[in-house]
Amino acid sequence: MSNGHVFVAMSGGVDSSVAAVLLQQAGYQLSGVNLRMFHNEDLGESPSRTCCSLSDAEDAALVARRLGFPFYVFDFAQTFRDTVIRNFIEEYQQGRTPNPCAECNRSVKFGALLQRVRTLGGDYMATGHYARVERDETSGRYLLKRGKDRSKDQSYFLYMLTQEELAHTLFPLGGMEKSEVRQIAEAHGLVNAKKRDSQDICFVPDGKYADFIERTTGQPSEPGPFLDQEGRVLGQHKGIIRYTKGQHKGLGLSTEQPLYVLEKDIASNAIRLGPDSALWSRTLTAERMNWISVPELTGPMAVTVKTRYTQREAAAVAEPLAGGCIRVTFEEPQRAITAGQAVVLYDGDTVVGGGTICGT
């Protein structure tokens, strides 16, 4: 007897393929779905250089055929352009550094796709994310927890999931190590068992964000002054979208002491530089908060916090501000807290909530 109908979001990689294997073994009725996020030719990229390509869709289709369940391709290119890519460009143009993977999860994978799945009669959507969903029987709330494999844990990118979305989402790999996943893929003869993980932003695989923005908008980023902390001109930058807070390499300046990007002033098109010591802060403010383990933050709360995916979380206290924003005060100063990035709050392995950094 089926445990329900699950649509598995299959990228063509090993993780989502093994998620499908595990769900099939658990007795679910499966359908595979590959998302066409964009058309490679539209971005001027070689399909072999990026994820979400035709070859990835073919790999996903081969896995679905081998396992014996239906496979579909949903074209969400327009939704992806209107949400993820538009947000990416606008954030950079406003001097912030966005997190497109989090925005994609919010708008496309757990937004548009999950809505489509529910419309088609699916009980659940599943992905190959390394995270866990549990239900707190006391509070009745669904909880998002870190994946067992801390080196692969992706809960940071999932902080925006709502209670409704968590109720209809399955993460079969949450309790597994990556090495186990590859072993299962090999045991089942999956075509992608040894396929390497994708590391790049899918629509900018060469990492040249500014070139992508200029090509997409048709608007070059104008040069402007590099300033020191006293406002003295140190040289010329090559366009404000080409730099991010904390950056040291690629400034093109010859100075006695190392200099780092401290601040970008969009109004004057100036970039302020200074020493590493000026990058450290004990506070941040965040907006667009989404709460998971609690309905809302009503008072100060001791948490651990990540302001970047690769960062170890740091002890802090979060407190509510007007308008649904929060202030986070760290026990120890943190380096290069950057507006536009995600801040995620944890209580042990449980995600309390998260939002977008808007200041320090």
Side-chain angles (χ1 to χ4, degrees):
M1 183 175 178
S2 172
N3 289 325
H5 188 181
V6 182
F7 284 74
V8 186
M10 301 180 70
S11 65
V14 65
D15 293 329
S16 53
S17 298
V18 171
V21 169
L22 297 174
L23 290 167
Q24 191 175 62
Q25 291 176 341
Y28 289 96
Q29 176 191 348
L30 299 189
S31 294
V33 177
N34 179 262
L35 304 189
R36 194 75 163 133
M37 299 292 205
F38 54 85
H39 302 140
N40 297 93
E41 59 274 17
D42 294 341
L43 302 177
E45 300 292 350
S46 166
S48 64
R49 293 185 58 202
T50 179
C51 69
C52 309
S53 66
L54 181 59
S55 63
D56 290 320
E58 290 171 346
D59 286 347
L62 286 170
V63 171
R65 188 177 307 143
R66 183 174 184 84
L67 297 177
F69 57 79
F71 178 79
Y72 309 96
V73 176
F74 292 166
D75 192 334
F76 283 154
Q78 188 65 50
T79 301
F80 191 78
R81 283 194 296 270
D82 290 345
T83 56
V84 180
I85 292 179
R86 176 179 292 176
N87 174 266
F88 181 83
I89 292 171
E90 290 177 350
E91 288 286 278
Y92 264 108
Q93 290 176 333
Q94 293 168 16
R96 292 152 64 106
T97 303
N99 191 315
C101 294
E103 187 60 37
C104 182
N105 285 335
R106 183 200 316 273
S107 302
V108 184
K109 292 179 182 175
F110 298 92
L113 175 58
L114 184 54
Q115 185 176 23
R116 176 83 62 89
V117 165
R118 297 293 289 152
T119 300
L120 292 173
D123 299 297
Y124 302 99
M125 185 184 84
T127 73
H129 283 96
Y130 287 81
R132 293 174 290 150
V133 178
E134 296 179 4
R135 193 160 190 266
D136 185 332
E137 296 303 329
T138 302
S139 67
R141 296 186 69 80
Y142 287 90
L143 305 179
L144 174 66
K145 296 197 169 187
R146 275 192 272 240
K148 176 185 174 183
D149 188 338
R150 284 296 188 91
S151 69
K152 302 299 294 183
D153 168 49
Q154 293 169 299
S155 59
Y156 175 84
F157 294 111
L158 300 167
Y159 74 85
M160 77 299 299
L161 295 182
T162 66
Q163 290 293 297
E164 177 68 15
E165 289 162 352
L166 288 167
H168 296 284
T169 297
L170 301 176
F171 296 129
L173 307 188
M176 304 183 69
E177 301 284 340
K178 180 73 179 197
S179 57
E180 296 177 79
V181 171
R182 290 206 182 275
Q183 288 170 6
I184 292 172
E186 290 190 23
H188 285 78
L190 302 187
V191 65
N192 49 20
K194 296 182 179 179
K195 189 173 183 178
R196 70 178 181 88
D197 294 340
S198 175
Q199 300 291 335
D200 304 311
I201 293 177
C202 62
F203 55 94
V204 197
D206 61 5
K208 296 179 180 179
Y209 306 151
D211 290 351
F212 169 79
I213 293 171
E214 289 179 335
R215 185 172 63 246
T216 303
T217 63
Q219 301 172 355
S221 182
E222 297 296 331
F226 279 128
L227 306 177
D228 66 12
Q229 289 175 286
E230 285 71 44
R232 293 185 291 261
V233 176
L234 300 174
Q236 288 283 109
H237 66 70
K238 297 179 181 179
I240 212 160
I241 62 173
R242 297 183 180 275
Y243 306 87
T244 190
K245 189 173 182 179
Q247 181 175 333
H248 169 60
K249 294 181 179 180
L251 300 182
L253 298 176
S254 179
T255 57
E256 291 184 11
Q257 301 297 326
L259 294 177
Y260 300 82
V261 173
L262 303 181
E263 181 185 4
K264 298 190 290 184
D265 187 335
I266 297 299
S268 62
N269 195 32
I271 296 177
R272 197 171 301 277
L273 306 177
D276 181 82
S277 59
L279 283 170
W280 296 78
S281 174
R282 288 193 65 228
T283 63
L284 67 79
T285 53
E287 60 189 3
R288 297 182 75 189
M289 296 301 300
N290 179 63
W291 299 106
I292 297 179
S293 67
V294 295
E296 61 180 333
L297 190 66
T298 57
M301 183 178 187
V303 290
T304 57
V305 177
K306 291 179 74 167
T307 58
R308 280 184 170 82
Y309 172 58
T310 55
Q311 174 194 59
R312 290 182 67 87
E313 62 269 20
V317 172
E319 55 186 321
L321 299 176
C325 298
I326 67 165
R327 176 184 291 113
V328 173
T329 304
F330 293 94
E331 287 186 4
E332 301 290 339
Q334 303 297 302
R335 186 182 185 276
I337 296 172
T338 305
Q341 287 288 292
V343 55
V344 181
L345 284 54
Y346 292 87
D347 177 10
D349 279 346
T350 301
V351 176
V352 177
T356 303
I357 297 170
C358 57
T360 55

